[in-house]
Amino acid sequence: MPLSREQMLVEMGISPLWMLREPVSSETPEPVAVAAPVAPATPAQPVLPAPIAPPGAVAEFDWPALLAGIADCRACELCKQRRQVVPGVGDRNPDWLFIGEGPGAEEDARGEPFVGQAGRLLDAMLEALGMTRGNKVYIANAVKCRPPNNRTPEAAEMAACRPWLERQIVLLKPRVIVLLGKAAAHTILGNDSALAAMRGKRFEYAGIPVAVTYHPAYLLRNQFDKGKAWEDLLFARRLLRSGNT
Ligand code: URA
């Protein structure tokens, strides 16, 4: 039986709502910070093999070409240990795009992002907002292949993978992007600030409003920050609803 919204909030550890320490304004958020799309960072050392498809070509890809390109990608060392690529999942005409770090062991095995414990929390967060991953929601990662031992992807790996993500965003045309954790914020915004400093600010990528929040895996270890993540999701929803998209 599907959980009620109240049960979902309990599942996220953030119920009752009045326990939130900082009230959430219902005002349309002011534009605070705007980051232009950044050019892919050049790796400090040219140690990476050439991408299978030159970045210029990726910009022309449709979905089948994009998925085939990702499946064949050898642009960084992560390809060597993957069982399969994890391109992304969900509605290809989404309102929301969530971007995480990179696949873990379960995602590598199943070829779908966020299917492990962190994924179950992400699903609970979506349900608390009245959404599911297949309906107006798309989920992707900064890198499409599993980093060994679930480590954070390196900047050069995210840069190598970035043309795929950029093309996904162009094809998806989401109305709001939510960056889950610092790695995603780094690759999309080119912003290396502390995550706490990015929360609650309106960023922009290619004209699309962007919000930053904690990674669900972090929230599993830091239950008390779930309330802040809930605030961030409400903030993102206001960005979407402000029609400023
Ligand atoms: N963490 C991520 O960042 N992405 C996944 O797909 C799974 C866990």
Side-chain angles (χ1 to χ4, degrees), residues 216-224:
Y218 166 88
L219 294 173
L220 290 172
R221 300 188 302 271
N222 299 273
Q223 305 272 335
F224 289 120

Side-chain angles (χ1 to χ4, degrees), residues 73-74 76-85 103-105 108-109 144-151 157:
C73 184
R74 304 276 182 277
C76 82
E77 298 289 315
L78 296 183
C79 66
K80 293 187 177 161
Q81 292 179 49
R82 73 182 175 216
R83 289 162 90 170
Q84 59 187 311
V85 294
D108 182 56
K144 313 297 186 201
C145 301
R146 182 191 178 198
N149 306 316
N150 296 344
R151 66 162 167 74
E157 293 160 351

Side-chain angles (χ1 to χ4, degrees), residues 11-12 25 30-31 37 39 57 61 87 90 92 121 133 148 169 189 209 230 237 243:
E11 170 61 24
M12 286 177 65
S25 159
E30 290 296 315
F61 283 0
R92 289 190 187 166
L121 177 57
R133 61 171 62 201
I169 295 172
L189 302 174
W230 176 243
R237 188 165 67 180

Side-chain angles (χ1 to χ4, degrees), residues 129-191:
L129 284 168
M131 307 191 305
T132 55
R133 61 171 62 201
N135 186 10
K136 288 289 171 192
V137 175
Y138 195 92
I139 303 172
N141 278 310
V143 295
K144 313 297 186 201
C145 301
R146 182 191 178 198
N149 306 316
N150 296 344
R151 66 162 167 74
T152 302
E154 291 168 4
E157 293 160 351
M158 292 192 286
C161 215
R162 198 184 143 100
W164 304 126
L165 184 58
E166 283 180 353
R167 187 62 191 155
Q168 277 179 307
I169 295 172
V170 170
L171 291 172
L172 291 167
K173 298 184 190 59
R175 293 174 61 203
V176 69
I177 299 175
V178 180
L179 303 176
L180 302 168
K182 227 181 136 179
H186 191 179
T187 196
I188 286 296
L189 302 174
N191 189 329

Side-chain angles (χ1 to χ4, degrees), residues 78-108:
L78 296 183
C79 66
K80 293 187 177 161
Q81 292 179 49
R82 73 182 175 216
R83 289 162 90 170
Q84 59 187 311
V85 294
V86 183
V89 71
D91 192 332
R92 289 190 187 166
N93 182 27
D95 287 341
W96 297 72
L97 170 61
F98 289 83
I99 303 176
E101 270 186 16
E106 287 182 70
E107 290 78 17
D108 182 56

Side-chain angles (χ1 to χ4, degrees), residues 34-55:
V34 175
V38 290
T42 309
Q45 300 294 326
V47 291
L48 301 173
I52 224 78

